[in-house]
């Protein structure tokens, strides 16, 4: 089977021609395996797809068109109504996201005190300093002024959580750049102000290349070079 070790990018499948030579062709969305409801995904066209196979197969078939270039994985799950993000909210977003990331890491650290698994030893050592800092702002819905004040006073506690989240997302491939699809896990109802994520990262993309570099990411969260 000439296709056995022949890899195609997402949205394409291997097909052997009459001479047995392998080629990558677009996945037929209708031929994708059936999926469960929880595997549904929402595209940036605000259309629900049965799964990533169907979404990327559709994107491949639209290759070379404006619709194809604009179609990405927006978030996991069926499409839902997302209210517009106001200017005031997009200004608040990095403050609330920084605070949320810091507290997520502290929660992981507390869980790992009893059972190891979520964080690596190196990550635990980094978070330990945040956990032990008695000046840490505890989790809660704090006013913007308090979040700003805490960031200025305890800046060092926010640097690692911002870097950590970038590297958690940078997976397909690991290249120090975040694509639209790699940002998709952030679009979950657990994330504060999820309706501002798309707009926030569009404004973060300083060079408009539709990729978020680590430098752009840190700049948007107020982390110095």
């Amino acid at each position: 089977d000439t296709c056995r070790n022949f890899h195609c990018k997402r949205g394409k499948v291997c097909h052997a021609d009459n001479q047995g030579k392998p080629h990558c062709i677009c996945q037929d969305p209708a031929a994708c395996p059936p999926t469960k409801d929880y595997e549904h995904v929402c595209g940036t066209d605000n259309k629900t797809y049965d799964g990533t196979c169907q979404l990327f197969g559709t994107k491949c078939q639209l290759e070379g068109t404006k619709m194809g270039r604009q179609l990405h994985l927006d978030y996991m799950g069926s499409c839902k109504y997302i209210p517009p993000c106001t200017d005031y909210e997009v200004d608040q977003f990095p403050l609330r996201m920084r605070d949320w990331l810091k507290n997520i890491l502290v929660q992981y650290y507390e869980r790992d005190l009893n059972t190891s698994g979520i964080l690596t030893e190196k990550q635990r050592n980094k978070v330990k300093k945040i956990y032990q800092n008695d000046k840490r702002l505890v989790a809660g819905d704090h006013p913007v002024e308090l979040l700003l004040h805490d960031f200025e006073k305890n800046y060092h506690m926010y640097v690692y959580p911002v870097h950590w989240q970038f590297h958690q997302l940078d997976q397909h491939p690991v290249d120090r750049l975040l694509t639209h699809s790699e940002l998709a896990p952030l679009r979950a109802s657990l994330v504060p102000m999820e309706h501002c994520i798309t707009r926030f990262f569009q404004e973060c993309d300083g060079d408009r290349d539709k990729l978020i570099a680590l430098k752009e990411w840190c700049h948007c969260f107020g982390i110095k070079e």
Side-chain angles (χ1 to χ4, degrees):
D1 181 1
T2 55
C3 277
R4 180 170 291 174
N5 296 313
F6 193 81
H7 297 288
C8 298
K9 70 176 187 177
R10 291 178 95 168
K12 296 196 173 190
V13 289
C14 182
H15 173 76
D17 62 17
N18 294 334
Q19 285 77 42
K21 194 175 178 183
H23 294 280
C24 290
I25 60 168
C26 286
Q27 165 76 52
D28 177 6
C32 287
T35 57
K36 304 278 195 302
D37 284 352
Y38 61 80
E39 294 175 304
H40 291 179
V41 296
C42 185
T44 45
D45 55 355
N46 203 37
K47 179 183 171 187
T48 298
Y49 293 84
D50 286 347
T52 52
C53 171
Q54 196 180 85
L55 169 69
F56 287 106
T58 303
K59 179 176 172 65
C60 181
Q61 291 189 333
L62 293 169
E63 209 168 295
T65 67
K66 186 179 179 184
M67 278 181 68
R69 284 192 298 276
Q70 291 178 341
L71 180 58
H72 301 284
L73 169 63
D74 201 12
Y75 52 87
M76 313 307 283
S78 300
C79 295
K80 54 197 170 186
Y81 170 71
I82 296 180
C85 177
T86 65
D87 292 347
Y88 176 67
E89 286 175 320
V90 88
D91 288 342
Q92 276 193 42
F93 183 85
L95 283 71
R96 301 213 173 275
M97 191 72 178
R98 279 190 313 239
D99 184 57
W100 183 75
L101 289 173
K102 180 194 64 168
N103 288 312
I104 284 286
L105 276 175
V106 168
Q107 283 178 29
Y108 284 170
Y109 180 83
E110 286 173 335
R111 276 189 227 168
D112 278 7
L113 289 174
N114 302 317
T115 54
S116 62
I118 300 174
L119 301 174
T120 65
E121 190 176 349
K122 186 178 176 183
Q123 289 171 334
R124 277 198 297 274
N125 289 335
K126 294 264 192 186
V127 182
K128 186 178 183 180
K129 294 169 188 170
I130 302 172
Y131 178 75
Q132 292 176 333
N133 192 316
D134 59 350
K135 299 183 187 70
R136 174 168 53 88
L137 196 65
V138 295
D141 188 17
H142 303 293
V144 171
E145 294 75 21
L146 184 57
L147 291 174
L148 268 171
H149 175 76
D150 193 61
F151 180 61
E152 288 167 9
K153 291 287 180 189
N154 300 300
Y155 169 80
H156 61 282
M157 285 202 287
Y158 292 91
V159 177
Y160 181 67
V162 169
H163 280 148
W164 171 80
Q165 181 66 86
F166 182 92
H167 294 295
Q168 289 293 107
L169 296 168
D170 183 23
Q171 298 293 335
H172 307 289
V174 179
D175 57 1
R176 294 172 72 84
L177 294 167
L178 296 182
T179 63
H180 204 104
S181 296
E182 285 175 314
L183 286 166
L186 278 185
R187 293 174 181 83
S189 52
L190 300 172
V191 178
M193 302 170 73
E194 61 159 333
H195 62 292
C196 285
I197 288 171
T198 298
R199 181 177 163 187
F200 177 73
F201 287 115
Q202 280 172 348
E203 294 181 13
C204 270
D205 184 14
D207 57 7
R208 298 285 180 265
D209 64 350
K210 295 191 167 48
L211 298 167
I212 305 294
L214 180 59
K215 193 173 180 179
E216 290 173 322
W217 172 275
C218 289
H219 176 74
C220 279
F221 283 106
I223 305 299
K224 300 163 196 144
E225 285 189 39

